[in-house]
Amino acid sequence: MIQIAIFSDVHGNLPALEVVLKDMEHRGIHQKFCLGDLVDFAPWGNEVIEKIRDLNIPCLMGNHDERIAFDIPVLPLSKHSEEETRARFVAIDHSKKYIAEENKKFLAELPFHLRLNYKTGKKHWNIQLVHSSLESNDTYLYESENDEVFKTMLEESKSDVMVMGHTHLSFIKQFNTNTWAINCGSVGRSKEKNRLASYVILTLDEEKITPEIVQLPYPVEETTRQIQESGIPDYYAAFLKNENVLIL
């Protein structure tokens, strides 16, 4: 039996990341992978990058990582309110100013996709990791998406399991006996009602793959207090506290 932990979308929320990593350690899981978006919206962007780097956790390049690494302009999104648009511009500008150059270099060198092959007994399992899709790190694929979209991605990548993040909404979709599309949710900026830090565990044996979404409470008060004391808009603190703020 092999256990793999996969997480995504930390977004500078170090207290949430530390709780997730501690849970993995408690479970004795050594194989850990991150799907990207280490930065923006909470004040520990540098610390999160350095923790991932120091622990040698393989990590993909999320769309926010790419924007900070290469100073890509921020464009307004039609799905955002005027309030969120203003807050988003300020928060991303904060990261561009405060993320250290060596950490921007780290982000710039992250891979776009990662394909894993694990052998249990006589069985090889192929696991495809993406931030959001095979073609883009900024595509929104929700649980409600047509199944054919996920099946096509699984076929194109020749994988048994595809794990993604980006939407901050976890789900598990099973198609055949051992064919899965999974969103591991978000560690640091969950959009689920419970706002808990989320990650997925894949348990592999010779006969099957068993996925489990794990969701954990973390000291959200510490994160919101630090957001309020930083140059990041309070809008994001209110969201983490679930104070009737809608962020898409």
Side-chain angles (χ1 to χ4, degrees):
M1 182 186 77
I2 300 171
Q3 286 195 308
I4 306 164
I6 304 166
F7 63 97
S8 190
D9 296 277
V10 181
H11 285 292
N13 191 339
L14 185 63
L17 176 61
E18 288 177 335
V19 165
V20 165
L21 292 175
K22 185 176 180 180
D23 189 70
M24 295 174 188
E25 182 181 359
H26 177 75
R27 294 170 185 263
I29 301 174
H30 305 293
Q31 298 293 311
K32 306 178 184 74
F33 299 89
C34 178
L35 305 184
D37 272 6
L38 303 181
V39 297
D40 291 338
F41 309 127
W44 294 278
N46 285 306
E47 291 85 352
V48 166
I49 293 168
E50 289 155 13
K51 172 125 0 224
I52 296 297
R53 186 182 63 207
D54 293 347
L55 293 175
N56 293 314
I57 297 175
C59 183
L60 302 183
M61 180 189 290
N63 57 307
H64 285 265
D65 305 319
E66 184 175 20
R67 183 183 291 114
I68 298 305
F70 300 106
D71 195 22
I72 297 172
V74 184
L75 300 176
L77 302 178
S78 60
K79 66 177 184 173
H80 290 164
S81 67
E82 290 185 12
E83 182 183 8
E84 182 176 359
T85 296
R86 289 193 298 269
R88 180 170 168 266
F89 272 72
V90 173
I92 294 172
D93 185 62
H94 183 275
S95 292
K96 289 184 175 183
K97 289 178 179 177
Y98 288 100
I99 298 299
E101 288 303 316
E102 64 179 320
N103 290 333
K104 290 180 180 179
K105 185 175 186 294
F106 173 82
L107 296 178
E109 295 174 350
L110 294 175
F112 200 76
H113 294 160
L114 188 61
R115 189 167 184 264
L116 310 175
N117 181 284
Y118 283 90
K119 186 174 183 288
T120 55
K122 296 181 179 180
K123 176 65 176 177
H124 284 266
W125 296 111
N126 293 312
I127 301 168
Q128 179 70 56
L129 305 183
V130 301
H131 181 68
S132 68
S133 75
L134 289 170
E135 303 297 330
S136 167
N137 64 7
D138 201 12
T139 300
Y140 290 86
L141 297 177
Y142 298 99
E143 186 174 9
S144 58
E145 194 76 35
N146 189 302
D147 285 353
E148 293 305 314
V149 172
F150 298 112
K151 290 179 181 179
T152 298
M153 291 168 65
L154 287 162
E155 291 170 4
E156 289 179 353
S157 62
K158 296 181 173 60
S159 55
D160 303 294
V161 183
M162 177 169 289
V163 186
M164 65 202 78
H166 187 56
T167 66
H168 304 197
L169 294 166
S170 63
F171 64 78
I172 295 175
K173 294 175 75 78
Q174 183 177 10
F175 301 113
N176 299 320
T177 304
N178 279 309
T179 307
W180 307 81
I182 299 169
N183 191 304
C184 62
S186 170
V187 169
R189 191 167 169 258
S190 171
K191 295 181 180 179
E192 300 181 44
K193 290 181 179 179
N194 59 30
R195 299 297 197 264
L196 299 179
S198 178
Y199 76 100
V200 68
I201 298 171
L202 300 181
T203 302
L204 316 178
D205 60 37
E206 192 170 7
E207 301 298 325
K208 66 183 184 300
I209 295 175
T210 305
E212 177 191 2
I213 298 289
V214 178
Q215 296 190 324
L216 303 166
Y218 67 93
V220 67
E221 297 82 5
E222 179 182 355
T223 300
T224 57
R225 179 175 59 81
Q226 291 290 344
I227 289 173
Q228 290 166 341
E229 293 178 1
S230 73
I232 299 168
D234 291 354
Y235 188 83
Y236 296 102
F239 173 71
L240 292 179
K241 291 189 290 185
N242 215 351
E243 292 182 346
N244 298 319
V245 174
L246 177 63
I247 297 185
L248 302 174

